[in-house]
C-alpha cells in the first residue's frame, strides 16, 4: 500500500455527463438485460411532468426578486414521487429530470413503494439570510401545493436544504390545508415527525454495502483498508461505522485535501463537515494528500462520498482499490465505469450504496402516517434488513447472469417497475 507517484487530480471531465444524459444511458443499457416491452422503456425516458414555478421573494431590504423553482416527477407506478429539493444556482428542469429518474431506480431497487421526483430553486442559498430562506421556502411550498402531498409527491432535503427547510415547507403546506400533515415531506426534525437515524442513514447503508462487498470477496473487515473522499454526512458516517466494525480507515478528505495514515485514522476524532466545515487538514496525520491522490491509493475499499464525476476516463486507469463503493451520487462517469469493468474492479452503485437515506425517509413517512415514532434501534434494524434484502436481490443478478453490480441493480429496479406497469396496463 502507498501513494502513487503519478496520481491524477480530482479534475472532473471537461464536459461531465449531465444527470439526464447519464440516466437515459443507464436506462438503455439496463434495458438490454431485461425482457421489457420497448414502450415501457420509451415511457421511462420521459418524466410524467416537470412543474416550473416562479417564486417571488421579498429581500430583507424590501426589494423583490423572482426565482425559478422546479419539481420533476418521473414515474409513480409504484407509489408517490419521492426525492429531494435542492437550492443551488445550477438547478434546472433538465437536471431535476435526470435526478428524478435516478430516484425512480433507487426506490425500486430498495423495493420502496415510491417513484422518483426531484426539484429545487435556482438560487445561491449562501446569499440568503435565514429569514429570506424561510420566506422563499414557504412561498415555494405554496407554489408546489397542487403537485405535492403525502400520497402524491413527498420531497426531502438535498443540496442547500436541510431539516429546518423541510419544517418550514411542512408548516406552510399544513397551514394552507388546514391540518398538520407531517407526511408531505421527509427529513424533518424528529420533534415534528422526523425519524431518528435519518441523517446518518446514507452513510450507514454505504458502510453496510462496503461490509457486504468485502465479505462477498472472501475478506475480513478487520483486514480491510478504506479510503473515503468527502467527510460530510455520507462519508463521515460511513467511515466511522466501518472503523467501529474493525476496518482500518487510512485516508479521509474534504474539499481542501486528504489526510493519510497507513496505520489507520481515528475517524470519530475528526470533525464532520457539519460539526466543523473543512477541518480535515487541521488534524494531525503522518501525511497529507490531494483528493486525486486519495482516489488512487492502494486500498481494499475506495468510498467516494463527496461529489459526482470524480472517477473519470482520466483517472480510472490509476484506481488501485479492489472495490469501489459509491457513497456520493454519480461519482463514476459512464466512461470510467467501462474502464473499471474492463479492469474487473467491482463498483457498488450509488442507487444501492447510499439508498439508506430514502429508505429511512420511507420509515419517516410510515411513522407520520401512523403518528407513531420508532426508536433509533428499530430504525437501524429495519434499515439493515432493507439494505441486506436489496443487496441479496442485486447479488443474485451478479451471480446468475455475470452482470456488473451497477447493471444488476438497474435490472432489479427496472424489472420491478416494468412488472408493475405491465400489471396495471396503459390507461386509457
Ligand atoms: P456534505 O455537504 O455533508 O459533505 C460533503 C463533503 O465533501 C465535505 O467534506 C466537503 O468538504 C467535501 N467536498 C466537497 N466538494 C469536494 C470535492 N470537489 N472534492 C473532494 N471533497 C469535496 O454532503 P453529503 O450530504 O455527505 O453528500 C455527499 C454526496 O452524497 C453527494 O453526492 C450527495 O448527493 C450524496 N448523497 C447524500 C445523501 C444525504 O442524505 N446526505 C443521500 C444520498 C446521497
Amino acid at each position: 500500500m502507498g501513494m502513487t507517484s503519478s496520481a491524477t487530480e480530482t479534475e472532473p471531465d471537461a464536459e461531465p455527463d449531465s444527470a439526464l444524459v447519464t440516466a437515459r444511458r443507464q436506462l438503455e443499457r439496463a434495458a438490454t438485460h431485461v425482457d421489457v416491452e420497448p414502450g415501457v422503456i420509451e415511457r421511462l425516458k420521459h418524466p410524467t411532468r416537470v412543474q416550473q414555478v416562479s417564486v417571488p421573494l421579498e429581500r430583507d431590504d424590501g426589494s423583490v426578486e423572482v426565482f425559478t423553482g422546479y419539481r420533476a416527477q418521473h414515474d409513480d407506478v409504484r407509489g408517490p414521487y419521492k426525492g429531494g429539493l435542492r437550492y443551488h444556482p445550477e438547478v434546472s428542469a433538465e437536471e431535476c429530470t435526470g435526478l428524478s429518474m435516478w430516484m425512480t431506480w433507487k426506490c425500486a431497487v430498495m423495493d420502496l413503494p415510491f417513484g422518483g421526483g426531484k426539484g429545487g430553486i435556482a438560487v445561491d442559498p449562501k446569499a440568503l439570510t435565514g429569514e429570506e430562506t424561510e420566506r422563499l421556502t414557504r412561498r415555494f411550498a405554496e407554489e408546489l401545493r397542487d403537485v405535492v402531498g403525502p400520497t402524491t409527491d413527498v420531497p426531502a432535503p438535498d443540496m442547500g436544504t436541510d431539516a429546518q427547510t423541510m419544517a418550514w415547507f411542512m408548516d406552510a403546506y399544513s397551514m394552507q390545508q388546514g391540518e398538520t400533515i407531517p407526511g408531505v415531506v421527509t427529513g424533518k426534525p424528529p420533534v415534528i415527525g422526523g425519524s431518528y437515524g435519518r441523517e446518518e442513514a446514507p452513510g450507514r447503508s454505504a458502510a453496510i454495502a462496503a461490509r457486504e462487498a468485502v465479505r462477498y470477496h472472501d475478506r475480513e473487515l478487520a483486514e480491510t483498508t478504506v479510503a473515503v473522499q468527502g467527510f460530510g454526512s455520507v462519508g463521515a458516517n460511513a467511515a466511522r461505522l466501518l472503523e467501529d466494525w474493525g476496518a482500518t480507515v487510512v485516508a479521509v478528505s474534504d474539499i481542501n485535501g486528504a489526510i493519510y495514515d497507513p496505520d489507520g485514522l481515528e475517524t470519530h476524532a475528526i470533525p464532520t463537515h457539519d460539526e466543523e466545515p473543512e477541518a480535515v487538514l487541521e488534524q494531525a496525520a503522518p501525511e497529507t494528500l490531494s483528493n486525486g491522490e486519495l482516489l488512487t491509493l492502494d486500498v481494499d475499499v475506495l468510498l467516494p462520498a463527496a461529489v459526482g464525476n470524480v472517477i473519470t476516463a482520466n483517472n480510472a486507469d490509476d484506481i488501485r482499490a479492489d472495490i469501489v463503493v459509491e457513497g456520493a451520487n454519480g461519482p463514476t462517469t459512464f466512461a470510467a465505469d467501462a474502464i473499471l469493468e474492463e479492469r474487473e474492479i467491482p463498483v457498488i452503485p450509488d442507487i444501492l450504496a447510499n439508498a439508506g437515506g430514502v429508505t429511512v425517509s420511507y420509515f419517516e413517512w410510515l411513522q407520520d402516517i401512523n403518528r407513531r415514532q420508532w426508536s433509533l434501534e428499530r430504525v437501524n434494524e429495519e434499515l439493515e434488513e432493507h439494505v441486506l434484502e436489496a443487496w441479496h436481490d442485486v447479488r443474485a443478478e451478479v451471480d446468475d447472469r455475470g452482470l456488473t453490480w451497477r447493471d444488476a441493480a438497474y435490472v432489479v429496479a427496472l424489472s420491478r417497475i416494468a412488472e408493475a406497469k405491465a400489471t396495471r396496463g396503459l390507461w386509457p
Side-chain angles (χ1 to χ4, degrees):
M1 195 208 310
M3 33 173 294
T4 171
S5 53
S6 64
T8 41
E9 285 301 319
T10 316
E11 290 292 336
D13 285 341
E15 289 286 334
D17 305 326
S18 82
L20 184 56
V21 168
T22 304
R24 285 199 174 132
R25 272 195 200 150
Q26 286 169 342
L27 171 61
E28 274 163 12
R29 189 176 153 126
T32 63
H33 299 293
V34 190
D35 184 19
V36 182
E37 278 183 37
V40 169
I41 302 299
E42 195 52 35
R43 162 71 189 79
L44 287 169
K45 285 183 190 165
H46 305 277
T48 303
R49 76 164 76 85
V50 184
Q51 182 87 348
Q52 178 177 326
V53 296
S54 297
V55 194
L57 167 71
E58 183 175 345
R59 306 296 300 247
D60 288 349
D61 67 5
S63 64
V64 172
E65 218 170 312
V66 180
F67 296 93
T68 305
Y70 306 91
R71 185 68 183 172
Q73 299 177 329
H74 174 241
D75 186 80
D76 72 342
V77 71
R78 292 170 44 85
Y81 304 100
K82 188 86 195 77
L85 291 177
R86 54 174 58 174
Y87 290 177
H88 188 276
E90 279 157 32
V91 167
S92 67
E94 182 180 321
E95 184 193 61
C96 291
T97 305
L99 295 172
S100 72
M101 289 174 74
W102 276 348
M103 288 306 299
T104 303
W105 321 138
K106 200 180 277 193
C107 292
V109 79
M110 297 308 290
D111 211 3
L112 308 177
F114 288 137
K118 196 69 132 194
I121 303 178
V123 62
D124 177 5
K126 293 195 200 94
L128 302 176
T129 64
E131 288 76 16
E132 288 171 338
T133 307
E134 177 174 354
R135 287 198 292 278
L136 187 74
T137 301
R138 289 182 180 281
R139 182 62 190 249
F140 190 34
E142 178 55 22
E143 297 298 340
L144 291 186
R145 192 153 61 90
D146 288 345
V147 298
V148 299
T151 56
T152 49
D153 184 351
V154 186
D158 203 273
M159 276 164 66
T161 58
D162 58 16
Q164 180 60 65
T165 324
M166 293 306 110
W168 290 324
F169 194 105
M170 177 279 237
D171 185 65
Y173 181 83
S174 296
M175 293 307 285
Q176 291 291 4
Q177 298 295 104
E179 58 179 311
T180 296
I181 307 175
V184 66
V185 287
T186 59
K188 302 177 295 294
V191 70
I192 54 164
S195 180
Y196 295 117
R198 168 66 180 80
E199 182 57 38
E200 69 167 86
R204 181 170 281 271
S205 64
I208 295 171
R211 185 192 69 201
E212 295 307 310
V214 166
R215 284 185 185 158
Y216 181 81
H217 290 279
D218 293 326
R219 302 188 190 185
E220 299 284 333
L221 259 194
E223 282 146 30
T224 298
T225 54
V226 184
V228 180
Q229 185 185 49
F231 208 65
S233 175
V234 180
N237 281 307
R240 287 173 176 179
L241 277 170
L242 286 167
E243 187 191 341
D244 292 348
W245 295 341
T248 307
V249 179
V250 296
V252 303
S253 74
D254 62 23
I255 193 166
N256 298 320
I259 52 174
Y260 173 65
D261 185 344
D263 295 328
L265 298 161
E266 280 185 35
T267 56
H268 287 273
I270 305 168
T272 68
H273 183 71
D274 207 31
E275 289 160 0
E276 194 188 334
E278 331 305 10
V280 167
L281 289 185
E282 288 160 27
Q283 311 307 307
E287 264 185 78
T288 59
L289 307 174
S290 69
N291 266 294
E293 288 168 334
L294 177 144
L295 291 176
T296 55
L297 280 174
D298 184 4
V299 285
D300 298 300
V301 175
L302 172 64
L303 211 154
V307 288
N309 295 323
V310 294
I311 304 179
T312 69
N314 299 331
N315 63 0
D317 277 317
D318 300 327
I319 300 292
R320 290 190 291 162
D322 296 332
I323 302 168
V324 176
V325 179
E326 295 187 328
N329 283 324
T332 315
T333 66
F334 201 75
D337 223 23
I339 296 170
L340 295 179
E341 182 184 355
E342 175 80 26
R343 295 186 56 211
E344 296 183 4
I345 298 176
V347 179
I348 312 303
D350 46 11
I351 59 167
L352 176 62
N354 69 29
V358 71
T359 304
V360 174
S361 271
Y362 166 56
F363 299 162
E364 179 173 337
W365 182 77
L366 291 177
Q367 293 170 67
D368 290 341
I369 288 169
N370 288 297
R371 295 291 204 269
R372 183 159 188 212
Q373 196 149 43
W374 298 4
S375 67
L376 178 61
E377 290 69 32
R378 177 169 175 193
V379 169
N380 286 341
E381 265 171 37
E382 297 222 10
L383 175 60
E384 169 97 19
E385 258 176 50
H386 258 76
V387 177
L388 286 183
E389 271 174 34
W391 172 269
H392 292 307
D393 294 341
V394 173
R395 197 208 52 201
E397 295 293 337
V398 170
D399 286 344
D400 297 349
R401 301 167 61 178
L403 300 178
T404 66
W405 289 89
R406 191 184 313 279
D407 285 342
Y410 275 83
V411 162
V412 169
L414 190 55
S415 305
R416 286 181 178 148
I417 296 160
E419 202 179 333
K421 283 203 181 289
T423 308
R424 284 180 57 169
L426 185 65
W427 187 89

